[in-house]
Amino acid sequence: FQMRVAPGQPTDYPNLNKWFDAMETHESYQLTKSDYYTHCWDLPPQLGGCSYEPAGESYEKAINGDRTLDGTQKSWELPLQPHNGGVEPDWTWAGDEATAKREAVERVSGNYENIVRFAARGAGRKGMPAVAAPLADPNAVPNDAMYTGIHSVLQVVCMALLQGVDKYSDTLDQIAKTIAEDGGTEFAEGMLSSLAYLRDRVGVPRDMRLPAARQLRAHLNWSIEKIQTAL
């Protein structure tokens, strides 16, 4: 069952939703509010494990970016569906879509070199010793051969966030072609792993707010699909 619903959706818990609506007017709550994806991945290791419920599979796929509830697209795919297709209410108090995109670019550009190295862990070596959290690997060793490719793709992703994917589609097509043809299959696969590694580790609110995170995840998927198409 779903307790928190998007505005206007029917619910058996109207007062609970009113409580959340009221909480979200407080800046102190807004600054600490996380998203469902971050919660679902960081809480189980802290709690010692959580029980899986098969009936929630469609919600799991929507939260993890795999598929919207209506099955028409990936939930981290452009154009994004409002309220993640009805799974998670949008943070309307965080500003409009343009604000979310600017925030994503600000957060990436503000720590750019470290983010490039972090993404390159996806094509590198796992760290030792291993840790319990599945998305955490503080001792991972990045693959520095990926730095230039990640740098080029992230530049285009950031420009597309600011000015639209249509304007930079041809540019990214050319970069994807260069990655696939000049870099070869192994390099291209390393790029895919690196971009997916970064996409899956955008945390809320640690890295940015949910609207910005959704935009960055979806735009990274846009770049991933371009490279996959070029292979």
Side-chain angles (χ1 to χ4, degrees), residues 19-190:
W19 182 83
F20 274 114
D21 291 339
M23 286 291 290
E24 289 171 358
T25 65
H26 294 279
E27 185 178 6
S28 57
Y29 181 77
Q30 294 174 1
L31 291 171
T32 59
K33 184 175 173 61
S34 187
D35 69 336
Y36 296 174
Y37 176 79
T38 305
H39 277 316
C40 288
W41 283 96
D42 71 7
L43 282 179
Q46 297 178 59
L47 299 176
C50 297
S51 298
Y52 181 78
E53 173 54 58
E57 182 179 3
S58 60
Y59 287 88
E60 177 190 17
K61 289 182 177 180
I63 291 169
N64 286 341
D66 297 331
R67 185 61 50 184
T68 54
L69 285 182
D70 62 13
T72 58
Q73 65 178 80
K74 294 179 180 178
S75 47
W76 294 349
E77 179 183 323
L78 298 172
L80 290 165
Q81 289 189 0
H83 311 296
N84 197 8
V87 172
E88 183 172 12
D90 289 334
W91 295 7
T92 54
W93 43 267
D96 59 12
E97 182 176 292
T99 300
K101 291 177 178 179
R102 289 195 300 270
E103 180 181 338
V105 173
E106 185 272 332
R107 295 304 174 89
V108 171
S109 59
N111 195 27
Y112 190 75
E113 292 183 1
N114 287 331
I115 288 173
V116 169
R117 286 194 291 270
F118 179 81
R121 290 180 177 184
R125 300 193 309 274
K126 292 184 178 182
M128 291 297 292
V131 296
L135 294 183
D137 192 358
N139 300 313
V141 179
N143 183 344
D144 56 10
M146 299 291 120
Y147 288 175
T148 301
I150 296 169
H151 172 84
S152 298
V153 171
L154 282 183
Q155 278 191 321
V156 176
V157 164
C158 286
M159 293 305 297
L161 278 161
L162 294 174
Q163 300 183 28
V165 293
D166 290 343
K167 185 171 182 178
Y168 289 92
S169 182
D170 290 344
T171 302
L172 191 54
D173 282 336
Q174 185 58 52
I175 291 174
K177 181 180 179 182
T178 301
I179 289 171
E181 294 183 358
D182 295 352
T185 301
E186 184 177 353
F187 179 78
E189 293 292 345

